[in-house]
Amino acid sequence: MLSARERIEKQMGAPALVRLHRKLSRLKSTVTVMNTGAHPDDEQNGLLAFLRLEHGMRVIVACSTRGEGGQNALGPERHGALGVLRSREMEEAARIIDADVAWLGHGPDDTIHDFGFSKDGDATFARWGEARIVERLVRAYRKERPDIVIPTFLDVPGQHGHHRAMTRAAEAAIVLAADATAFPEHLAEGLKPWRVAKYYLPAWSGGGGTYDDALPPPDATITVEACSRDKATGAEYGRIGEWSRYFHASQGMGDWPMQAKSVWPLHLKLTSIAASEERFISDGLPNSLEQLAAFPDLPDEVAAALISADTAIAAAIEAFPHREAIVSMLTHAARHLERVAANAPEAFLGLHGHRIERKIIEIDAAILEAASIFERASADPCSIAPGGRSVLTAELGENAGEYKIRLSPLLPAGIASEAASFGREPTFLLTAETHTSLSSHFLPGWSALGGNGHACIQVSAEIEGRNVVGLFDLEEPFAVNAAQTLALHPDALIIPVGTACREWPIKADLAGAPATIAFDAPAGWAMNANGDNWIAAAQGKIEPGLFDIRARIGSHPAFEAETIYYSHIGRAEFRRPAVLNVLALDLQLPEGARIAYVGGGADKVGLWLARMGLDVIDLDAVGLAGDLSQFTTIVVGIFAFGLRKDLAAITQRLHQFVENGGHLVTLYHRPSDGWHPDETPVLPLQIGSPSVRWRVTDPRAEVTVLSPDHVLLSGPNAIHPGDWEGWNKERGLYFASSWDECYVPLLSMHDVNEQPLKGALLSAEIGKGRHTHVSLTLHHQMDRLVPGAFRLMANLVQPA
């Protein structure tokens, strides 16, 4: 349940008059525009804000992945948990511009997911399946019926392969969506063919700090220019776009340019509309109910009803903020549209019936807002287990007593609702059956009209003789989660095969109702109870390999829960199987290493160093200000110079640490992460930009060792070809592009058809010490328990 401060912040962020204005402004247009992209944050927020808030178009963001393979500038969430975080960020970003979201991919277990960076569309299609992503786009076109489709990126070399694949698929799906013979299973589900009227490409380059489009953008055939400001807030539309991008905080989004963007050039690539000079992207489309009245052979009474509805909507918008007048005018408009839906010929409804249905729903949402009937609803607790209970409480608006109102919780299968109290704050007792399914982490869409999440509330009210219906979200998303969760500490063991140790203590923290814990161990391993905890025991000779010991609660798999909380998205939870991973490998540790780890929360390298058996401490601000000479090695985590001001402030002390005989190891940084090439490293070292040119995305790319006898590659572990096997997602990124001659490049690698890059691992003897810069994704490989990453990291942290 939200705290008082959280509820205050939520109300301040969406004032009642702004909400009402938003619901009225969307009634102006009958056009739908879809913006396609590959990741949350790919959407063109400023342009979409202008189309939606100024012109009233329905806006949909179609996104192929949940961003689960990306990075996280906020905290420790990775993989599936990051996908949950970024999905919520996308939904909150959409809320600001009053857009809908159509998800095409459904998390890391889906074939269509964010598997990391790729450099061309073919490589992406090889992972996703080209036919699969095209089918999902065809389904989205047929379901949502966009008149206009605009991808954010171009399919050109130098662009992210996911972007390229989505742009290519978005175009291919246009022809197939209109083909009645394509994907007949859609027709069996009730979907009908749909012809997208206009397909625009961006007439701007996707270049910058990350991408480097190798071809120029197409010529602009039209330019969308936002000359006005949002009437509800007085803000420029480009600025509202940045308000929206602010919610992509895990990607470091949310800028404050001195001049908000207001111009978006577009290139009309495909159209089914007869050629004519365009003044605006909706030219030639049915922009309003009045224009729909010009449909050929439309009965006079239907045409008149469309015109009357359009007139009533205009009067309601003009009446803002006078709520009674708005309710009256919109009630007239709805009645006219209901007559259209009942009496229009099939030819008209086949092409435009969805516009009429949508407009009635939008009108009802505006009436409920104007009538001040409903304020909020929340469930306490918002997460229940099978067999559990919760109380859903609604708070009605100040005018609710004037109408006959019915509230209906819409709940997942297996959850029953019983009205418990009435009045201004009616309550419902929610009870989950013992076999209720656990909630999915990834829902297929998000609607600006409400009704999102696993549970919402439907409000019906008799207003001026009409039954007005709307859907409202709960303040916090509702979910059915496991009755018990199990956290293992540690959840992974890194074991040298030659160790004399045979037993390792494991703490098992059970949350929830008491239950019996058991483990399924592979051959050669056992889990033995030790009071309230456990002992992982090796039986016989320890063989190298990766083993998993899976936990059970009773007869069912046990789950570990990762709680996610950030103020901009609220609370969420990610659930994964509770597993103790055991990585046994040939690993030698450097003698005499005393390691300080300085992280920014973006990697777990300090944790892995400790689990390897090294002497390591995390350095906070006090530690950084203290005596650094007690350490042989200082490891700086990814992005840390940009995330920690206390670290950036002692750069000169780090340089002196090296001069005096210490070993400074810096993991990769972007140029934007406070990395000043002449100041941050001990000697000049430049990070390559745009970064697409300075990374190796193929995790199987051949690695050439340039200096096999170098101290960092020869001991205590002799790095051999097997150490480069089994890598996940990529080899490395943000490679150095130039460096002082004292730095020695140790490795060379490249993606297919590209020139070798030598900036993945550099090391320099400086004074009595050493600085080593690492652009390999060692932190990610360690998370994925890749043996070679641990062996190489053990070498890299040795004393200078």
Side-chain angles (χ1 to χ4, degrees):
M1 192 170 183
L2 295 184
S3 68
R5 291 189 64 84
E6 289 169 329
R7 186 166 285 167
I8 288 169
E9 290 166 358
K10 201 174 186 73
Q11 188 176 51
M12 288 193 303
L17 284 180
V18 173
R19 296 200 312 265
L20 178 57
H21 195 277
R22 294 284 185 259
K23 288 179 171 59
L24 289 172
S25 68
R26 70 159 69 108
L27 303 178
K28 293 189 292 187
S29 177
T30 53
V31 169
T32 295
V33 59
M34 178 180 284
N35 184 201
T36 63
H39 318 98
D41 79 21
D42 281 353
E43 72 278 6
Q44 192 59 232
N45 307 68
L47 171 63
L48 300 181
F50 178 62
L51 298 179
R52 165 59 197 89
L53 304 179
E54 176 67 21
H55 291 275
M57 297 181 189
R58 182 191 178 199
V59 165
I60 306 168
V61 176
C63 189
S64 60
T65 79
R66 306 300 180 122
E68 60 269 68
Q71 299 165 349
N72 184 359
L74 288 182
E77 294 81 13
R78 296 291 181 274
H79 317 305
L82 179 58
V84 170
L85 168 57
R86 294 191 68 184
S87 295
R88 286 288 300 118
E89 288 184 328
M90 180 71 256
E91 292 163 357
E92 293 303 319
R95 190 190 304 277
I96 296 298
I97 57 175
D98 206 42
D100 298 338
V101 181
W103 294 109
L104 307 178
H106 309 301
D109 295 331
D110 186 17
T111 304
I112 298 173
H113 67 277
D114 184 353
F115 56 83
F117 203 94
S118 68
K119 292 181 179 176
D120 63 68
D122 289 339
T124 301
F125 284 146
R127 297 286 296 270
W128 289 354
E130 183 173 2
R132 184 178 291 107
I133 185 63
V134 169
E135 183 274 331
R136 293 192 187 180
L137 273 163
V138 169
R139 182 184 295 274
Y141 291 172
R142 288 173 171 176
K143 179 183 177 184
E144 308 296 350
R145 300 197 154 201
D147 302 290
I148 301 167
V149 171
I150 308 173
T152 298
F153 299 98
L154 296 168
D155 176 20
V156 295
Q159 187 53 244
H160 196 319
H162 297 181
H163 298 164
R164 298 183 65 181
M166 269 298 287
T167 297
R168 196 189 312 175
E171 182 173 337
I174 288 176
V175 174
L176 293 171
D179 183 353
T181 66
F183 305 111
E185 66 272 20
H186 294 182
L187 308 184
E189 297 167 13
L191 297 175
K192 296 180 180 180
W194 177 250
R195 185 176 301 279
V196 174
K198 296 184 178 184
Y199 176 75
Y200 291 94
L201 290 175
W204 61 77
S205 171
T210 302
Y211 307 122
D212 182 22
D213 289 4
L215 298 174
D219 294 335
T221 59
I222 193 169
T223 298
V224 177
E225 185 171 1
C227 300
S228 56
R229 289 174 177 254
D230 175 42
K231 295 177 179 59
T233 62
E236 301 155 288
Y237 290 105
R239 192 73 66 197
I240 294 175
E242 289 301 329
W243 297 357
S244 178
R245 297 194 72 72
Y246 157 88
F247 285 93
H248 294 299
S250 69
Q251 305 306 295
M253 300 291 178
D255 293 327
W256 188 268
M258 292 302 295
Q259 184 64 46
K261 187 173 181 179
S262 61
V263 175
W264 296 272
L266 298 171
H267 174 82
L268 183 60
K269 176 77 180 294
L270 300 173
T271 181
S272 60
I273 297 174
S276 62
E277 184 179 355
E278 281 191 309
R279 294 185 177 182
F280 194 61
I281 63 172
S282 60
D283 286 355
L285 298 172
N287 279 290
S288 66
L289 296 172
E290 183 178 15
Q291 290 184 14
L292 287 177
F295 188 83
D297 301 322
L298 200 63
D300 291 343
E301 64 273 17
V302 174
L306 286 166
I307 293 171
S308 296
D310 195 76
T311 301
I313 287 172
I317 293 172
E318 185 66 25
F320 177 84
H322 301 292
R323 294 175 178 271
E324 289 185 4
I326 291 171
V327 170
S328 179
M329 291 298 100
L330 292 185
T331 299
H332 288 307
R335 286 199 177 103
H336 289 304
L337 290 182
E338 286 164 349
R339 283 195 286 273
V340 172
N343 299 308
E346 284 300 318
F348 175 86
L349 293 177
L351 284 175
H352 302 301
H354 66 286
R355 304 183 202 276
I356 306 303
E357 293 172 8
R358 172 83 183 183
K359 203 56 61 184
I360 292 173
I361 294 171
E362 291 175 346
I363 287 172
D364 277 6
I367 290 174
L368 289 172
E369 185 69 49
S372 299
I373 285 176
F374 188 85
E375 286 294 330
R376 63 183 59 85
S378 61
D380 185 18
C382 61
S383 170
I384 63 174
R389 291 188 168 194
S390 179
V391 176
L392 190 156
T393 302
E395 184 178 334
L396 301 181
E398 58 183 352
N399 296 332
E402 300 178 15
Y403 307 100
K404 182 180 179 182
I405 297 174
R406 183 172 66 256
L407 303 182
S408 304
L410 303 183
L411 304 166
I415 297 184
S417 169
E418 179 184 353
S421 68
F422 303 90
R424 279 289 300 273
E425 294 189 359
T427 59
F428 299 85
L429 178 62
L430 310 183
T431 305
E433 297 175 358
T434 55
H435 298 293
T436 302
S437 298
L438 303 185
S439 296
S440 167
H441 292 117
F442 303 102
L443 290 168
W446 190 89
S447 171
L449 287 171
N452 300 297
H454 294 287
C456 62
I457 194 161
Q458 183 183 77
V459 178
S460 303
E462 292 293 331
I463 301 178
E464 296 194 9
R466 281 191 71 248
N467 185 40
V468 179
V469 180
L471 298 177
F472 292 86
D473 298 342
L474 304 188
E475 285 185 324
E476 288 187 285
F478 179 84
V480 180
N481 287 318
Q484 299 94 3
T485 58
L486 185 67
L488 303 177
H489 307 283
D491 60 359
L493 298 174
I494 310 301
I495 299 176
V497 292
T499 183
C501 183
R502 314 310 278 173
E503 295 184 341
W504 294 265
I506 305 296
K507 185 178 181 181
D509 289 336
L510 180 69
T516 301
I517 302 172
F519 290 89
D520 296 323
W525 292 91
M527 288 290 284
N528 303 317
N530 180 31
D532 292 335
N533 294 306
W534 296 79
I535 298 290
Q539 300 176 324
K541 181 181 179 181
I542 298 176
E543 298 292 341
L546 178 61
F547 310 94
D548 57 52
I549 301 175
R550 295 186 172 268
R552 284 185 286 108
I553 293 178
S555 60
H556 301 287
F559 291 103
E560 175 188 6
E562 181 173 353
T563 300
I564 303 166
Y565 176 76
Y566 294 100
S567 59
H568 66 300
I569 58 112
R571 295 172 183 81
E573 180 177 289
F574 182 71
R575 192 174 57 247
R576 63 172 65 84
V579 177
L580 172 64
N581 290 293
V582 180
L583 176 62
L585 74 165
D586 178 11
L587 177 67
Q588 304 297 321
L589 300 180
E591 294 184 4
R594 300 186 309 279
I595 303 166
Y597 165 71
V598 188
D603 64 60
K604 298 192 295 185
V605 169
L607 175 66
W608 289 121
L609 291 172
R611 288 182 177 177
M612 289 163 65
L614 289 161
D615 179 6
V616 57
I617 69 166
D618 285 349
L619 274 192
D620 58 13
V622 174
L624 281 174
D627 179 15
L628 301 182
S629 66
Q630 61 183 301
F631 307 110
T632 64
T633 310
I634 296 176
V635 179
V636 176
I638 66 171
F639 309 156
F641 279 104
L643 295 171
R644 290 186 57 170
K645 293 181 180 179
D646 57 345
L647 173 63
I650 66 148
T651 300
Q652 292 304 314
R653 294 190 66 224
L654 291 176
H655 294 182
Q656 193 62 50
F657 168 78
V658 172
E659 294 279 355
N660 293 341
H663 188 184
L664 175 64
V665 179
T666 51
L667 304 185
Y668 73 61
H669 279 63
R670 298 165 295 196
S672 60
D673 291 321
W675 186 275
H676 305 288
D678 295 321
E679 301 173 11
T680 306
V682 189
L683 294 173
L685 189 154
Q686 177 84 44
I687 307 301
S689 181
S691 68
V692 67
R693 303 294 185 191
W694 300 96
R695 61 177 70 198
V696 174
T697 62
D698 184 355
R700 299 174 300 278
E702 182 179 356
V703 176
T704 300
V705 177
L706 301 176
S707 301
D709 296 329
H710 192 279
V711 62
L712 297 184
L713 299 179
S714 58
N717 300 284
I719 302 303
H720 53 69
D723 290 315
W724 306 108
E725 295 177 359
W727 281 47
N728 177 267
K729 196 166 76 166
E730 63 224 338
R731 287 291 191 201
L733 57 164
Y734 310 118
F735 285 16
S737 57
S738 62
W739 47 85
D740 185 277
E741 62 183 9
C742 289
Y743 288 99
V744 177
L746 304 182
L747 305 172
S748 173
M749 62 192 72
H750 62 90
D751 280 322
V752 65
N753 298 324
E754 293 187 0
Q755 295 298 311
L757 298 175
K758 298 182 180 181
L761 180 60
L762 305 167
S763 192
E765 295 182 39
I766 303 170
K768 297 179 181 179
R770 177 180 298 279
H771 174 216
T772 301
H773 186 68
V774 187
S775 294
L776 300 167
T777 57
L778 288 183
H779 73 289
H780 176 77
Q781 307 310 323
M782 294 169 86
D783 288 347
R784 290 303 183 108
L785 299 176
V786 175
F790 292 93
R791 288 167 43 80
L792 181 57
M793 183 61 82
N795 286 14
L796 296 182
V797 297
Q798 64 183 282

